[in-house]
Amino acid sequence: MVTQMDVARRAGVGRRTVSNVVTGFPYVSKDVRERVLRAIEELGYVPNRAAQQLRTGRSGVIALTVPEVGVGYFGELGNLVVEEAAARGLGTVVAQTRGSREREITEIERLLALQPDGVIMSPLGLTAEDLAGVSARTEVALIGEHFVGSPIRTIAIDNAAAAGDIVTHLVQSGREHIAFLGMSAASPNFNQLRRRGYLEALERHGIAPVAAVEARDFTSADGYDAGAVLAARLAEGAQLDAVFCVTDEVAIGAMRALHDAGLRVPDDVAVAGFDDIVEGRYANPRLTTVSPDKREIARQAVAAVLGEPADDAQIAYRLELRESTTGIVQPA
Amino acid sequence: MVTQMDVARRAGVGRRTVSNVVTGFPYVSKDVRERVLRAIEELGYVPNRAAQQLRTGRSGVIALTVPEVGVGYFGELGNLVVEEAAARGLGTVVAQTRGSREREITEIERLLALQPDGVIMSPLGLTAEDLAGVSARTEVALIGEHFVGSPIRTIAIDNAAAAGDIVTHLVQSGREHIAFLGMSAASPNFNQLRRRGYLEALERHGIAPVAAVEARDFTSADGYDAGAVLAARLAEGAQLDAVFCVTDEVAIGAMRALHDAGLRVPDDVAVAGFDDIVEGRYANPRLTTVSPDKREIARQAVAAVLGEPADDAQIAYRLELRESTTGIVQPA
DNA sequence: CTGAAAGCGCTAACAT
DNA sequence: ATGTTAGCGCTTTCAG
C-alpha cells in the first residue's frame, strides 16, 4: 500500500504538504503542488479512508433509503442525492425499502452498521417513534413528506398547496367533475396531503368532489386498474371530465386505461399527476403535473444531513401544464 | 463516543479483554465475558469501524453490481449475496448498472471509492480489459456468466448444458418446432451460451430450429413483443409448438402475448424460461425453467471475493418442469 | 486467561 | 509555505 509518506519522499516534501495538497489546503505553492500531484499519479496513491475517518471522525459516506431505487420519483430523487453527495466528495450507500416498515427497519440497521455520517430517508411505514430512535443514533433528514409532529429536519414541498393549485388549474380550464385517484385514508402522509389539497380546492371553487376511486398502491398497474374502474363508471353514465392522480405513475396507468376504454385524454377526460417524473414528459399525451424542485430537495437533504444550517424551509414547485389537461402539445 | 477503554473500566478488566470478547476470541472466562457484555450493553458501545479497518486492513464491506436491483434474477441473487455477507458480519453496498458499460464503469468507480474488501459483479457491457483494470485494484468475483478468456474467478452454471437440457425436455415431450426467443448474436455472453445450447441440442435430436425471434432486451415487455410476433407467424400458418426463452422474464412476457393472441400454453405452444425467478412460480401457467442454485452462487461469490480457496468450479442447476410445458399443475 | 504497548495512515495543532 | 508530532480507536504480538 502506498502511503502519504511514500508520496512525500518521492516528491521531496514533508508529509504535511502532501496532506495539504490532498485536502485542498490553500497555501501550497503551485510548483510544489504539481510535484506532489505528479508523485501521487506515479505512485498510484489513494488516501486510506479508514485512516481519514479515524482522524476526522467522519466516514465521508451518507446513507439513503427510498421505497424504490432507480424508478419513478424516488429513483430520480435518489440519483440526484447521489450526485449531490458525490459533488461534495461524499459516497452514498442506498437501500431500497419497498415502503414496508419492517424492511425499512432492517435496511436502516444495515446502513447504520456502516456508520455513515448521516442518513436521508423517505419513510413510508416508519412511526414517529422509529424515526426518533434512528435520529438518536445519527444525523437524519427526511424527504418527500412532512412527518407531523416530528422534530426531524424535513425537506418537502407544500403537498396540499400544490395539489390545490393543480385542481384549480383543472377548474379554470372548465372541468367540473374532478375525481381524485389515490390511496385511501390509511395511507402515507403525502397521499393524505394531496387528497386534502384536492378537497379544499374543490370546496373553495364550490364544486362537489366526484366519488373517489381507490388505488391499492402507487404503481402504474394500480393506476391502470383504478382508471379502468373510472372508465366503467363513465360508461354507466357517471359525470366525469377530469382526474387528479396522486402520483405520475398512477396517472400514467390511468391514462392507459382510459385510452384502452376508448376515451380521449384530455378531450373526454383530463388527467393530471404529481411529481414530474420523466416518463410523464414522454407519455402520450404528455402529462400535466406538479414539478417539485428535485435538485434543490437533494441539495438541501444532503446539507441537512451534514448538519449545515437550514436554508429555506419549503421547497419550490411549479405546475407543468401539458397536453393531458390542456390539449396543447409542447416539446418535451 | 464510547470506546473500548470505557467498557474495560466499567467492567473492571483490561482493554485487551474487551477486544477479545468483541472479536470472539475463545479464551475468556464465562464470568468475565458476561461482565464485559453487560458493560457494552449499558454503555451502548459500538466498535468503531474506521479503527477496526485501519488496524485489520479490511473494511468489512463488499460491493456488488447488478444490472437491476430488487427485481428478477439479479434482484434475487443480489438479496442472497447481501444475506450471505451479513451472515459473515460483512456489509454490502450495491449498485445498479442497467447493463450499460458506461454505467457499469461509473458505478464501479463509486463503489471502489468506498474501498471495499472486494467486489462481486454481473457485468453485461464491460470488456475483458475493463475487468482486468478493476481486478488489479481489488478482489473481484463474477457471477452469472463466464467471461471467456478472463482469469477472474467466476461463479456460474453451465448455461449451454442447461439450455440443452431444457430443449431436450421439450423434444421428449413431443415438441417438434421449437423457437428460441432471445437477443441477437451481439448480446451478452449468457444469451449466446443459452442460444448455442439450444442449437446444439436440436442438432443432436435431428430437429431443425424454427426461425428465431429477436428480443430487444431481457424485460417482460420485450418478451411480450417478441411473443406477439410469434403469434402472428403462427396465425400465418408457421409451424411452432414450443418456445425456449432466454430468461424467465422474457418467457413471462411471451406467455402473456400468446395468451392475448388466443393461444393456449402449453396446449398450443409450450413455453420454457431460464433462471427460476419467483414470478415464474406464480405465473399462469407456472413456468418451466432452469433453476440454478442461487444460494450456492451467492455463497461462493462471497467466498471468492474474500479470497477463500475455490470450491467447485461449476454450480449445480436443475430443471423445474412445470405447467407451461407439461400441462401438469403442481403446488408452487 | 489477561495486561502493556506498538502501530495501522492520516489530519491538524503547533512550530518555524 | 512547509516540517514535526500527537493521537484518533482498535487489534495483536509479547509477556506474564
Side-chain angles (χ1 to χ4, degrees):
Chain A
M1 159 171 273
V2 184
T3 77
Q4 241 176 23
M5 199 56 215
D6 299 328
V7 176
R9 268 196 291 265
R10 172 78 159 229
V13 300
R15 230 175 70 195
R16 164 66 199 264
T17 307
V18 178
S19 179
N20 282 345
V21 170
V22 171
T23 57
F25 190 71
Y27 305 112
V28 182
S29 77
K30 202 169 152 61
D31 176 46
V32 170
R33 153 167 277 114
E34 270 173 19
R35 272 222 313 284
V36 171
L37 255 18
R38 182 137 27 84
I40 287 177
E41 172 76 14
E42 289 167 358
L43 263 29
Y45 166 75
V46 179
N48 181 314
R49 286 190 83 97
Q52 281 182 319
Q53 177 176 353
L54 185 56
R55 189 61 244 244
T56 63
R58 278 166 292 110
S59 62
V61 171
I62 61 172
L64 171 70
T65 75
V66 285
E68 301 286 332
V69 355
V71 34
Y73 176 71
F74 287 113
E76 293 179 23
L77 199 49
N79 289 336
L80 289 171
V81 167
V82 171
E83 258 182 45
E84 174 67 27
R88 289 162 169 265
L90 298 170
T92 311
V93 296
V94 187
Q96 167 166 284
T97 59
R98 287 288 161 74
S100 84
R101 170 164 179 270
E102 197 176 46
R103 283 235 12 198
E104 283 179 336
I105 290 175
T106 60
E107 291 299 328
I108 292 272
E109 285 306 327
R110 267 208 232 292
L111 294 179
L112 252 28
L114 268 26
Q115 302 183 204
D117 294 339
V119 18
I120 298 175
M121 301 198 275
S122 310
L124 252 31
L126 289 186
T127 66
E129 234 170 296
D130 295 330
L131 284 172
V134 177
S135 78
R137 298 206 274 157
T138 186
E139 217 59 51
V140 176
L142 267 25
I143 50 180
E145 55 165 326
H146 282 279
F147 251 72
V148 268
S150 167
I152 298 171
R153 183 84 169 272
T154 304
I155 322 294
I157 69 167
D158 185 336
N159 276 279
D165 288 354
I166 212 154
V167 168
T168 296
H169 156 66
L170 290 171
V171 171
Q172 288 174 346
S173 13
R175 307 290 169 168
E176 296 181 330
H177 306 281
I178 307 172
F180 175 77
L181 205 164
M183 276 182 78
S184 69
S187 60
N189 207 18
F190 77 89
N191 184 93
Q192 298 186 44
L193 290 171
R194 292 174 191 182
R195 168 174 226 140
R196 190 197 309 158
Y198 153 84
L199 290 171
E200 290 173 353
L202 281 190
E203 181 154 8
R204 269 199 306 281
H205 295 292
I207 294 182
V210 171
V213 179
E214 189 158 328
R216 268 183 310 283
D217 202 338
F218 304 111
T219 71
S220 288
D222 300 313
Y224 187 93
D225 294 344
V229 171
L230 229 35
R233 287 200 197 151
L234 246 175
E236 289 165 5
Q239 299 249 4
L240 178 79
D241 57 14
V243 189
F244 166 49
C245 301
V246 65
T247 70
D248 280 1
E249 298 189 80
V250 169
I252 287 169
M255 287 205 299
R256 211 166 302 158
L258 294 171
H259 179 262
D260 285 359
L263 294 161
R264 292 162 307 160
V265 177
D267 307 55
D268 299 317
V269 182
V271 176
F274 202 118
D275 286 343
D276 192 19
I277 68 175
V278 292
E279 286 85 350
R281 299 211 259 278
Y282 298 102
N284 186 14
R286 287 171 191 149
L287 183 64
T288 286
T289 191
V290 172
S291 182
D293 187 343
K294 296 199 195 76
R295 179 147 253 131
E296 182 63 12
I297 293 176
R299 211 185 57 67
Q300 287 199 28
V302 172
V305 93
L306 295 179
E308 293 175 11
D311 255 36
D312 318 295
Q314 204 88 276
I315 300 291
Y317 65 88
R318 57 174 212 289
L319 261 39
E320 284 292 340
L321 304 181
R322 305 203 189 104
E323 195 186 354
S324 72
T325 60
T326 64
I328 301 161
V329 185
Q330 268 162 328
Chain B
M1 159 172 271
V2 183
T3 79
Q4 243 176 22
M5 199 56 213
D6 300 327
V7 176
R9 267 196 291 266
R10 171 80 159 224
V13 301
R15 234 176 66 193
R16 164 66 196 266
T17 307
V18 178
S19 179
N20 281 346
V21 170
V22 171
T23 56
F25 189 69
Y27 307 112
V28 182
S29 76
K30 202 169 150 62
D31 176 48
V32 169
R33 155 167 274 115
E34 271 172 19
R35 273 221 313 284
V36 170
L37 255 19
R38 183 139 25 88
I40 287 177
E41 173 76 15
E42 289 168 356
L43 264 29
Y45 167 73
V46 179
N48 181 315
R49 286 190 85 98
Q52 283 181 318
Q53 177 177 355
L54 183 55
R55 191 59 242 247
T56 63
R58 279 165 292 111
S59 62
V61 171
I62 61 172
L64 170 69
T65 75
V66 285
E68 300 287 333
V69 4
V71 35
Y73 176 71
F74 287 113
E76 293 179 24
L77 199 50
N79 290 335
L80 288 171
V81 167
V82 171
E83 260 181 43
E84 174 68 26
R88 290 163 169 264
L90 298 170
T92 311
V93 296
V94 187
Q96 167 167 282
T97 59
R98 288 288 162 74
S100 85
R101 170 165 180 269
E102 197 176 46
R103 280 238 10 199
E104 283 179 337
I105 289 175
T106 59
E107 291 300 328
I108 291 272
E109 287 304 327
R110 267 208 232 292
L111 293 179
L112 253 28
L114 268 26
Q115 302 182 351
D117 294 337
V119 19
I120 299 175
M121 301 197 276
S122 311
L124 251 32
L126 290 186
T127 66
E129 232 169 296
D130 295 330
L131 283 173
V134 176
S135 78
R137 297 205 275 158
T138 186
E139 216 60 51
V140 176
L142 266 25
I143 50 180
E145 56 165 326
H146 282 279
F147 250 72
V148 269
S150 166
I152 298 172
R153 183 86 169 274
T154 304
I155 322 294
I157 69 169
D158 186 335
N159 277 278
D165 289 353
I166 211 152
V167 168
T168 295
H169 155 66
L170 290 171
V171 171
Q172 288 174 346
S173 15
R175 308 289 169 167
E176 295 182 329
H177 306 281
I178 306 171
F180 175 77
L181 204 162
M183 277 182 75
S184 69
S187 60
N189 207 16
F190 77 90
N191 184 92
Q192 299 186 44
L193 291 171
R194 294 174 188 182
R195 168 173 227 141
R196 189 199 308 157
Y198 153 85
L199 289 170
E200 288 175 353
L202 281 189
E203 181 153 10
R204 269 200 307 281
H205 295 291
I207 294 182
V210 171
V213 179
E214 188 157 329
R216 268 184 310 284
D217 202 338
F218 303 111
T219 70
S220 287
D222 301 313
Y224 187 94
D225 294 345
V229 171
L230 227 37
R233 288 202 197 148
L234 246 174
E236 289 166 5
Q239 299 249 4
L240 178 80
D241 56 15
V243 189
F244 167 50
C245 301
V246 66
T247 69
D248 280 1
E249 298 190 80
V250 169
I252 287 169
M255 287 205 299
R256 210 165 303 159
L258 293 171
H259 179 263
D260 285 359
L263 294 161
R264 291 163 310 160
V265 177
D267 307 54
D268 299 320
V269 182
V271 176
F274 203 117
D275 286 343
D276 192 20
I277 66 175
V278 293
E279 286 85 350
R281 296 212 261 278
Y282 297 103
N284 185 12
R286 287 173 189 145
L287 184 64
T288 286
T289 191
V290 171
S291 181
D293 187 344
K294 297 197 195 79
R295 178 146 254 129
E296 183 62 15
I297 295 177
R299 211 185 58 67
Q300 288 199 29
V302 172
V305 91
L306 295 179
E308 293 175 13
D311 255 36
D312 318 295
Q314 202 90 278
I315 299 292
Y317 65 88
R318 57 173 214 288
L319 261 39
E320 284 291 340
L321 304 182
R322 305 203 189 104
E323 195 185 355
S324 73
T325 61
T326 64
I328 300 163
V329 184
Q330 268 163 328

